[in-house]
Amino acid sequence: MSAPAPLRSGSLRRRTIVAVLALVALLLVVLAIVVDVALGARLRGQIEERLRDRAAAAASLVGTVDDTELAERLSYQGLAVRIDGAGGDSVVAGPSPDQLRDAPPGPGGPGVGPGERSTPSSASASGVQVVASDVSGDDQLVTLRSTLSDGSTLTLTASAVGVGETLAQVRGIMAVSSIGVLVLAAGAVTLVVRRSLRPLDQVSSVARAIGSGERERRLRPTRPDTEIGRVATALDDMLDDVVGAERAARDAEGRLRAFLSDAAHELRTPVAGIRAAADTLVRADLDGPERDLLAAHVVREATRASRLVDDLLTMARVDRGLELDRAEVDLRTLVESEVHRAPLVHPSLRIRAELPDAAVRALVDVGRLAQVLSNLVENAARATGGSGTVTVSLRAQGAEAVITVVDDGPGVPPAEAERIFDRLVRLDEGRETSGGVGLGLPIARGIARAHGGEVRNIPTDAGARFDISLPTL
């Protein structure tokens, strides 16, 4: 599996500012192009419109004014005029097209001199009209060729140099304005981005503070529904998980140290007894009852150490995950077997069973569940001094079966109701050889949970009560 790509950690502030300024510059360029094209088209359109107006006015004078005089009148407005009569004669007046390319625009507008945009009153008398018009030209000239109804042709040429000069001025103004806008935008965007990204500085500050030991620092965003709010909330949740995991790890380490210390202490006592008795047996010349007594002591302490080691191994298997050999069984049979076994170990113990009439079937590991029930009965016998009363009952409760073990001993203090399920916890004072090592209840709960059930201590007015709940079929 390939390693994940490293996070790109370039300056977000710089990238945001550059991106915004690039976008603003692009918009300004687009605006300049649109203005240039639209204004250029508008100015050339004005020239063409005025040329058509002059052509219409000239057409109204055809027949009432001599062509030469008409051409002269039109040329006074800064136009190059050519009139081709229907009989083939031509009249030219005004500057040539080459002169118009170099001439400045007239006062009446780009390339067109002053003149009233109106048709003389004699237009109705001539009856000549413009039949067709054709516009041509380049960046410096605009030419209108009009065909009149009497067969003559009127060609008017105007300078468009003023259009280019006007566009050049507008481009300069747009360039200077765009630079000013970019400078102002850069300052404004820098301030806005710096203020907008200030919460990220706070995030990094809190992260460094937590790394330096201030584990309780949090961001606590006021708006968790925003982008930065979601990041801050996720970071707070992660920090809670990390701090909680760290605390849990420390607690687990403390419990492990205490567990190892208690286990070593529990093992030290029988091992020391075995060692002392064995040393005496080897060194001393003993016969008869004394030798048998020491041998019995060795066996008793070895059995105690072996039981502790077995419990530790069982606890380790519970932690790792038990492999259960499940089988369908009637739980009444399991309870009856334990009730019949207990008097063999504790002859003075009064134990009885309360069982339902109908079978209570469950899919369990018979050996492991018998160990749970045996541990609870052994605890009850130990709590009552081996001569008390113990009641083991079974009942079906919905989709669960509940096995209850009740004794008439001193009971469990409410403050210790959960602590007794910790490892190597004993409520009996001292550490007599007859007492347990504090692993029975943790093992019982672990086995029950492996079956999908639970072992609980139920508070009572007298004695102790433990419930084993298991899923039924």
Coordinates of all heavy atoms in Angstrom, one line a residue, residues 190-222:
T190 N -6.1 41.8 1.6 CA -5.2 41.4 2.6 C -5.8 41.5 4.0 O -5.7 40.6 4.9 CB -3.9 42.2 2.5 OG1 -3.3 42.0 1.2 CG2 -2.9 41.8 3.6
L191 N -6.5 42.7 4.3 CA -7.1 42.9 5.6 C -8.2 41.9 5.8 O -8.3 41.3 6.9 CB -7.6 44.3 5.7 CG -6.6 45.4 5.7 CD1 -7.3 46.8 5.7 CD2 -5.7 45.3 6.9
V192 N -9.0 41.7 4.8 CA -10.2 40.7 5.0 C -9.7 39.3 5.2 O -10.2 38.6 6.1 CB -11.1 40.8 3.8 CG1 -12.2 39.7 3.8 CG2 -11.8 42.2 3.7
V193 N -8.7 38.9 4.4 CA -8.2 37.5 4.5 C -7.5 37.3 5.8 O -7.7 36.3 6.5 CB -7.3 37.2 3.3 CG1 -6.6 35.9 3.6 CG2 -8.1 37.1 2.0
R194 N -6.7 38.3 6.2 CA -6.0 38.2 7.5 C -7.0 38.1 8.7 O -6.9 37.2 9.6 CB -5.2 39.4 7.7 CG -4.3 39.4 9.0 CD -3.4 40.5 9.1 NE -2.4 40.5 8.0 CZ -1.6 41.5 7.7 NH1 -1.6 42.6 8.4 NH2 -0.8 41.4 6.6
R195 N -8.1 38.8 8.6 CA -9.1 38.7 9.7 C -9.9 37.4 9.6 O -10.3 36.8 10.6 CB -10.1 39.9 9.6 CG -11.1 40.0 10.6 CD -11.8 41.3 10.7 NE -12.8 41.3 11.8 CZ -13.5 42.4 12.1 NH1 -13.4 43.5 11.4 NH2 -14.4 42.4 13.1
S196 N -10.2 37.0 8.3 CA -11.0 35.8 8.2 C -10.2 34.5 8.6 O -10.8 33.6 9.1 CB -11.4 35.6 6.7 OG -12.2 36.7 6.3
L197 N -8.8 34.6 8.4 CA -8.0 33.4 8.8 C -7.5 33.5 10.2 O -6.7 32.6 10.6 CB -6.9 33.3 7.8 CG -7.2 33.0 6.4 CD1 -6.0 32.9 5.5 CD2 -8.1 31.8 6.3
R198 N -7.9 34.5 10.9 CA -7.4 34.6 12.3 C -7.8 33.4 13.2 O -7.1 33.0 14.0 CB -8.0 35.9 12.9 CG -7.3 36.3 14.3 CD -7.8 37.7 14.7 NE -7.4 38.7 13.8 CZ -8.0 39.9 13.8 NH1 -8.9 40.2 14.6 NH2 -7.6 40.8 12.9
P199 N -9.0 32.9 13.0 CA -9.4 31.6 13.8 C -8.4 30.5 13.6 O -8.2 29.7 14.5 CB -10.8 31.3 13.3 CG -11.4 32.6 12.8 CD -10.2 33.3 12.2
L200 N -7.8 30.4 12.4 CA -6.8 29.3 12.1 C -5.6 29.6 13.0 O -5.0 28.6 13.5 CB -6.4 29.3 10.7 CG -7.5 28.8 9.7 CD1 -7.0 28.8 8.3 CD2 -8.1 27.5 10.1
D201 N -5.2 30.8 13.2 CA -4.1 31.1 14.1 C -4.4 30.7 15.5 O -3.6 30.1 16.3 CB -3.7 32.6 14.1 CG -3.2 33.0 12.7 OD1 -2.7 32.2 12.0 OD2 -3.4 34.2 12.4
Q202 N -5.7 30.9 15.9 CA -6.1 30.4 17.2 C -6.1 28.9 17.3 O -5.7 28.4 18.4 CB -7.6 31.0 17.5 CG -8.0 30.7 18.9 CD -9.4 31.3 19.1 OE1 -10.0 31.9 18.3 NE2 -10.0 31.0 20.3
V203 N -6.5 28.2 16.2 CA -6.4 26.8 16.2 C -5.0 26.3 16.5 O -4.7 25.4 17.3 CB -7.0 26.2 14.9 CG1 -6.7 24.7 14.8 CG2 -8.5 26.5 14.8
S204 N -4.0 26.8 15.7 CA -2.7 26.4 15.9 C -2.1 26.8 17.3 O -1.4 26.0 17.8 CB -1.8 27.1 14.8 OG -1.9 28.5 14.9
S205 N -2.6 27.9 17.8 CA -2.1 28.3 19.1 C -2.6 27.3 20.2 O -1.9 26.9 21.1 CB -2.6 29.7 19.5 OG -2.3 30.1 20.8
V206 N -3.9 26.9 20.1 CA -4.4 26.0 21.0 C -3.7 24.6 20.9 O -3.4 23.9 21.9 CB -5.9 25.8 20.8 CG1 -6.5 24.7 21.6 CG2 -6.6 27.1 21.2
A207 N -3.5 24.2 19.6 CA -2.8 22.9 19.4 C -1.4 22.9 20.0 O -1.0 21.9 20.7 CB -2.7 22.7 17.9
R208 N -0.7 24.0 19.9 CA 0.7 24.1 20.5 C 0.5 24.1 22.0 O 1.4 23.5 22.7 CB 1.4 25.4 20.1 CG 1.8 25.4 18.6 CD 2.7 26.6 18.3 NE 3.0 26.6 16.8 CZ 2.3 27.4 16.0 NH1 1.3 28.2 16.5 NH2 2.6 27.4 14.7
A209 N -0.5 24.8 22.6 CA -0.6 24.8 24.0 C -0.9 23.4 24.5 O -0.4 23.0 25.6 CB -1.8 25.8 24.4
I210 N -1.8 22.7 23.8 CA -2.1 21.3 24.2 C -0.8 20.4 24.2 O -0.5 19.6 25.0 CB -3.2 20.7 23.4 CG1 -4.5 21.5 23.7 CG2 -3.4 19.2 23.6 CD1 -5.7 21.1 22.8
G211 N 0.0 20.6 23.1 CA 1.2 19.9 22.9 C 2.2 20.2 24.0 O 3.0 19.3 24.4
S212 N 2.1 21.4 24.6 CA 3.1 21.7 25.7 C 2.6 21.3 27.1 O 3.2 21.6 28.1 CB 3.4 23.2 25.6 OG 2.2 24.0 25.9
G213 N 1.4 20.7 27.1 CA 0.9 20.2 28.4 C -0.4 20.7 28.9 O -1.0 20.2 29.8
E214 N -1.0 21.7 28.2 CA -2.3 22.2 28.7 C -3.4 21.4 28.0 O -4.0 21.8 27.0 CB -2.4 23.7 28.2 CG -1.4 24.6 28.9 CD -1.5 26.1 28.4 OE1 -2.7 26.5 28.1 OE2 -0.5 26.8 28.4
R215 N -3.6 20.2 28.6 CA -4.5 19.3 28.0 C -6.0 19.7 28.0 O -6.8 19.2 27.3 CB -4.4 17.9 28.8 CG -3.1 17.3 28.7 CD -2.8 16.8 27.3 NE -1.6 16.0 27.2 CZ -0.4 16.4 26.8 NH1 -0.3 17.7 26.6 NH2 0.6 15.6 26.8
E216 N -6.4 20.6 28.9 CA -7.8 21.0 29.0 C -8.1 22.2 28.0 O -9.3 22.6 28.0 CB -8.1 21.4 30.4 CG -7.8 20.3 31.4 CD -8.6 19.0 31.1 OE1 -9.7 19.1 30.6 OE2 -8.0 18.0 31.2
R217 N -7.2 22.7 27.3 CA -7.5 23.8 26.3 C -8.4 23.3 25.2 O -8.2 22.2 24.6 CB -6.2 24.4 25.8 CG -5.4 25.2 26.7 CD -6.0 26.6 26.9 NE -6.0 27.4 25.7 CZ -5.0 28.1 25.2 NH1 -3.8 28.1 25.9 NH2 -5.1 28.8 24.1
R218 N -9.4 24.1 24.8 CA -10.3 23.7 23.7 C -10.7 25.0 23.0 O -10.6 26.1 23.5 CB -11.6 23.1 24.3 CG -11.4 21.7 24.9 CD -10.9 20.7 23.9 NE -10.8 19.4 24.6 CZ -9.7 19.0 25.2 NH1 -8.6 19.8 25.3 NH2 -9.6 17.8 25.8
L219 N -11.2 24.8 21.7 CA -11.5 25.9 20.9 C -13.0 26.4 21.2 O -13.2 27.6 21.2 CB -11.4 25.5 19.4 CG -9.9 25.3 19.0 CD1 -9.9 24.6 17.6 CD2 -9.2 26.6 18.9
R220 N -13.9 25.5 21.3 CA -15.3 25.8 21.5 C -15.8 26.8 20.6 O -16.1 28.0 21.0 CB -15.5 26.2 23.0 CG -15.1 25.1 24.0 CD -15.4 25.6 25.4 NE -15.0 24.5 26.4 CZ -13.8 24.3 26.8 NH1 -12.8 25.1 26.5 NH2 -13.6 23.3 27.7
P221 N -16.0 26.5 19.3 CA -16.5 27.5 18.3 C -17.9 28.0 18.6 O -18.7 27.2 19.1 CB -16.4 26.8 17.0 CG -16.5 25.3 17.4 CD -15.8 25.2 18.7
T222 N -18.1 29.3 18.4 CA -19.5 29.8 18.6 C -20.4 29.4 17.5 O -21.6 29.4 17.7 CB -19.4 31.4 18.6 OG1 -18.8 31.9 17.4 CG2 -18.6 31.8 19.8

